């Protein structure tokens, strides 16, 4: 079973920039894994942010961006806002099956 | 406007079979490229993808749960049904269904339904 790994937690100050990453036990993440990113706040369903590596949904704030970085998928928040505090999940495609990462708890302090 | 809503039992006993229904609106599961998937989340834990059914009835399952899962669709009723056999307390989770478009995975989600497995 392929494992997808994310930083368990990150703490960032308001206005700063932070990058969350998503790695695969199968090797380097490429665009062929169609990386997706979701934000989830307590008691809510996940909210899609990024699909196919770097594409934003119509509702995705401009400060969120997706990319590939050093063999991983990456989600960058530029100018973090207090309301960005949440759990973030990546999702990767492995030829017919999809695997979520373990999630990153982002704290804004 | 795309909406999805999960329904089913809130409590099941160990070894029983769970049947969940996802009722949706705003799209057709007969449209090329469209799919509906199921994802679950145990309390305080990460999301886990379970299954996906496509417009053409192609079905995909999580390898670790494949033997216990069945996903079906009723296009006329705008419903997708997930069954999971041999339920265990470790299957206690909130179960979500989500829409897949031709190009985007899980762009719309239901609110989720909490299923507790206990005797």
């Amino acid at each position: 079973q392929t494992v997808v790994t994310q930083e368990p937690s990150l703490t960032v100050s308001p206005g700063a920039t932070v990058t969350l990453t998503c790695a695969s036990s199968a090797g380097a993440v490429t665009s062929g894994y169609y990386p997706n990113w979701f934000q989830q706040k307590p008691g809510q369903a996940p909210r899609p942010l990024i699909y196919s590596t770097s594409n934003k949904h119509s509702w995705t704030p401009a400060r969120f961006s997706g990319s590939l970085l050093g063999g991983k998928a990456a989600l960058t928040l530029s100018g973090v806002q207090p309301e960005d505090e949440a759990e973030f999940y990546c999702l990767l495609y492995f030829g017919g099956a999809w695997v979520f990462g373990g999630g990153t708890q982002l704290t804004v302090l | 406007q795309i909406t999805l809503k999960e329904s089913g039992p809130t409590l099941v006993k160990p070894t029983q079979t769970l049947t969940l229904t996802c009722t949706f609106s705003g799209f057709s599961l007969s449209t090329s490229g469209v799919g509906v998937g199921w994802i679950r989340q145990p309390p305080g834990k990460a999301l886990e993808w379970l299954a996906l059914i496509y417009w053409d009835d192609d079905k995909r399952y999580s390898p670790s749960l494949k033997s216990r899962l069945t996903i079906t669709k009723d296009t006329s009723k705008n419903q997708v049904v997930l069954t999971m056999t041999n339920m265990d307390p470790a299957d206690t989770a909130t179960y979500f269904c989500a829409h897949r478009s031709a190009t985007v995975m899980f762009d719309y989600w239901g609110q989720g339904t909490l299923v507790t497995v206990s005797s």
Side-chain angles (χ1 to χ4, degrees):
Chain A
Q1 175 79 350
T2 307
V3 176
V4 177
T5 303
Q6 300 179 241
E7 297 87 0
S9 63
L10 292 170
T11 299
V12 62
S13 299
T17 294
V18 64
T19 297
L20 289 64
T21 66
C22 176
S24 165
S25 63
V29 176
T30 65
S31 59
Y33 288 79
Y34 301 99
N36 283 255
W37 290 93
F38 301 86
Q39 178 189 48
Q40 188 180 34
K41 296 184 178 180
Q44 297 182 12
R47 175 192 182 204
L49 293 174
I50 301 289
Y51 64 95
S52 296
T53 305
S54 59
N55 295 282
K56 299 180 185 183
H57 294 275
S58 59
W59 52 79
T60 303
R63 62 183 180 275
F64 291 89
S65 63
S67 64
L68 296 175
L69 195 64
K72 301 178 183 180
L75 175 70
T76 299
L77 287 71
S78 303
V80 173
Q81 301 297 308
E83 61 265 29
D84 295 334
E85 182 163 298
E87 190 86 20
F88 291 83
Y89 293 96
C90 66
L91 175 66
L92 299 180
Y93 176 68
F94 294 92
W98 293 82
V99 181
F100 282 95
T104 295
Q105 174 62 50
L106 183 68
T107 300
V108 182
L109 281 178
Chain B
Q1 178 191 1
I2 291 175
T3 64
L4 304 98
K5 187 172 184 178
E6 307 84 355
S7 60
T10 58
L11 179 66
V12 298
K13 297 185 187 312
T15 75
Q16 287 187 335
T17 294
L18 172 68
T19 300
L20 293 174
T21 301
C22 177
T23 303
F24 56 85
S25 64
F27 67 95
S28 172
L29 202 37
S30 59
T31 299
S32 179
V34 172
V36 172
W38 286 94
I39 303 99
R40 72 177 179 180
Q41 185 173 39
K45 295 188 177 181
L47 299 168
E48 179 182 19
W49 173 73
L50 301 176
L52 177 68
I53 189 165
Y54 291 92
W55 84 102
D56 59 357
D57 210 38
D58 186 18
K59 301 166 187 177
R60 305 289 170 157
Y61 297 100
S62 167
S64 62
L65 291 167
K66 186 174 183 177
S67 64
R68 299 174 54 206
L69 296 174
T70 303
I71 190 170
T72 60
K73 63 181 176 69
D74 186 329
T75 305
S76 64
K77 292 183 178 179
N78 281 353
Q79 291 181 333
V80 170
V81 174
L82 180 75
T83 61
M84 180 180 291
T85 61
N86 194 24
M87 292 292 285
D88 181 270
D91 296 314
T92 293
T94 296
Y95 287 76
F96 298 95
C97 62
H99 168 268
R100 176 201 185 275
S101 74
T103 55
V104 183
M105 195 69 173
F106 300 153
D107 50 355
Y108 295 92
W109 292 62
Q111 63 190 22
T113 185
L114 176 62
V115 178
T116 300
V117 184
S118 175
S119 55

